[in-house]
Amino acid sequence: MQPSDIDKKVKGYRRLIPSMTALLEFEAVARLASFTLAAQELGVTQAAVSKQIRLLEDTLETKLFHRLHRAIKLTHEGYVLHLVVAESIHRMASVFDKIVEGIGEQEITIACTEAFSHLRILPRLIALRTLQPKLKLRLMTQQVSPGSYRDDVDLAVRFGDGKWEDGSSVFLFDEEVFPVCSPAWLAGNPAPSSITDFLDVALIDSDSTLEGWMTWNRWCRELGDMRPKLNYSFRCSSYNDAIQAAIQGHGIALGWSRLIAHRLNSGELIRITPYMVKPKDAYYLVIPSGRKLEPITQALVDWLRDDSYLNH
């Protein structure tokens, strides 16, 4: 693009948006649903806020708010504009924070479940620092699979079919689910040799916290036992806790092969039967809509996929 073209484009933006002040005040009014509260937050008069909103409405030649009795409500056009303005302001604020705090542009924020963070990402951090020494990683974890994104999330790990309307997906890996226990537990207990044997041993179970997550009950049904009556020695809401309980010898847990690979490699956990269920869903790295696909993304995919990067 030639300099003259850039000048024309900038002038076009200025013609359409004569004042950033109007957008900032519009965002405050829309978020707070009040001219008065927006004025108080911004430290200006209510009349000044009203003037900026009228200026913006005149520029766009459309109403942005329904003025109701003692209330205001966004019009359809106002709602659409607020989505864009709010996201842009949050993204700018995030960049300002990074600059002020001295954080480099190579910081990547990844959203994922706590189980994926603790069991798949953290054991690979040393390898990531070797592969990408300038990259700064920020993890945003939650109990369930990320279903929506904050404005400062660059990538997210999801378990599902890879078809989401709010982002584009890159396949990471599928899964296999099978029973595991510690060497200590196996030394004092006979290993189950059939599906029915699992009805009489001490089982460790965790809650199903995301679509497709497999509990013992579902695992048995997948293998043909439609009415299992299981003996739970320990139940918890967190898969991390279930795995830790298995390592400490409290019973048999379901091992998700890609999540516990380093525990199997280290010998802390042992796969005790050939029985296995392969879920139809898989893990994907998702780039939220509106985010740019950076070259670093493929390096992160390779890093997350490769078990040779595990730190023992």
Side-chain angles (χ1 to χ4, degrees):
M1 184 178 293
Q2 298 298 320
S4 58
D5 295 330
I6 296 174
D7 291 341
K8 290 178 181 178
K9 200 167 187 179
V10 170
K11 289 177 182 178
Y13 289 149
R14 288 174 181 168
R15 175 188 59 78
L16 183 61
I17 308 174
S19 172
M20 281 298 293
T21 300
L23 289 177
L24 291 171
E25 296 191 6
F26 164 74
E27 188 280 330
V29 173
R31 172 167 42 84
L32 299 171
S34 169
F35 284 86
T36 301
L37 294 178
Q40 292 174 356
E41 178 179 275
L42 297 168
V44 298
T45 65
Q46 182 177 335
V49 172
S50 298
K51 181 179 179 180
Q52 290 295 333
I53 299 303
R54 285 196 302 271
L55 173 64
L56 196 56
E57 289 179 326
D58 290 344
T59 301
L60 297 174
E61 298 181 351
T62 188
K63 292 294 183 183
L64 300 174
F65 294 96
H66 295 296
R67 274 76 167 178
L68 309 175
H69 180 62
R70 295 186 178 179
I72 59 171
K73 183 180 179 181
L74 285 166
T75 64
H76 172 72
E77 292 78 10
Y79 175 77
V80 172
L81 180 62
H82 181 245
L83 287 179
V84 175
V85 172
E87 179 182 358
S88 299
I89 289 174
H90 285 308
R91 294 184 69 180
M92 286 189 291
S94 177
V95 172
F96 293 156
D97 288 342
K98 288 180 180 179
I99 294 173
V100 171
E101 296 171 8
I103 300 175
E105 284 299 315
Q106 277 197 290
E107 182 182 71
I108 301 293
T109 298
I110 298 180
C112 62
T113 63
E114 292 178 355
F116 197 93
S117 169
H118 292 170
L119 299 174
R120 190 75 189 182
I121 291 181
L122 293 179
R124 289 167 165 74
L125 279 183
I126 290 179
L128 181 62
R129 296 195 181 282
T130 300
L131 293 169
Q132 301 289 335
K134 294 183 179 180
L135 175 66
K136 297 179 181 179
L137 188 65
R138 179 187 176 210
L139 292 180
M140 188 177 297
T141 61
Q142 53 196 63
Q143 186 71 13
V144 299
S145 185
S148 60
Y149 307 107
R150 284 176 37 171
D151 293 329
D152 52 352
V153 170
D154 300 301
L155 302 167
V157 177
R158 277 183 175 176
F159 184 77
D161 60 7
K163 299 175 182 178
W164 295 286
E165 295 181 355
D166 59 346
S168 56
S169 305
V170 180
F171 176 79
L172 285 177
F173 42 73
D174 53 17
E175 267 288 9
E176 294 181 350
V177 184
F178 45 76
V180 295
C181 68
S182 70
W185 188 91
L186 191 59
N189 299 273
S193 58
S194 67
I195 296 299
T196 56
D197 287 346
F198 284 98
L199 304 181
D200 300 318
V201 298
L203 301 180
I204 301 169
D205 203 20
S206 59
D207 293 343
S208 179
T209 55
L210 69 160
E211 185 178 356
W213 191 257
M214 192 161 294
T215 62
W216 272 109
N217 195 277
R218 180 178 174 185
W219 188 82
C220 289
R221 290 201 307 270
E222 290 282 342
L223 290 174
D225 190 341
M226 302 308 295
R227 300 177 63 86
K229 295 181 180 180
L230 302 173
N231 173 34
Y232 297 112
S233 66
F234 182 68
R235 300 183 71 181
C236 53
S237 61
S238 167
Y239 184 67
N240 296 331
D241 292 340
I243 291 301
Q244 193 59 40
I247 290 173
Q248 293 177 4
H250 297 298
I252 301 176
L254 283 175
W256 288 67
S257 63
R258 300 290 193 157
L259 296 185
I260 65 165
H262 64 297
R263 301 297 191 185
L264 294 172
N265 291 345
S266 67
E268 294 174 284
L269 290 175
I270 300 172
R271 180 175 178 173
I272 56 175
T273 76
Y275 294 107
M276 175 271 295
V277 171
K278 188 171 183 177
K280 64 179 180 179
D281 291 332
Y283 279 102
Y284 293 84
L285 193 67
V286 184
I287 301 94
S289 298
R291 297 292 189 271
K292 184 179 180 182
L293 183 60
E294 301 289 349
I296 189 63
T297 301
Q298 187 58 50
L300 289 172
V301 168
D302 294 340
W303 167 67
L304 286 171
R305 282 178 179 165
D306 195 341
D307 286 336
S308 68
Y309 289 154
L310 285 172
N311 174 38
H312 299 294

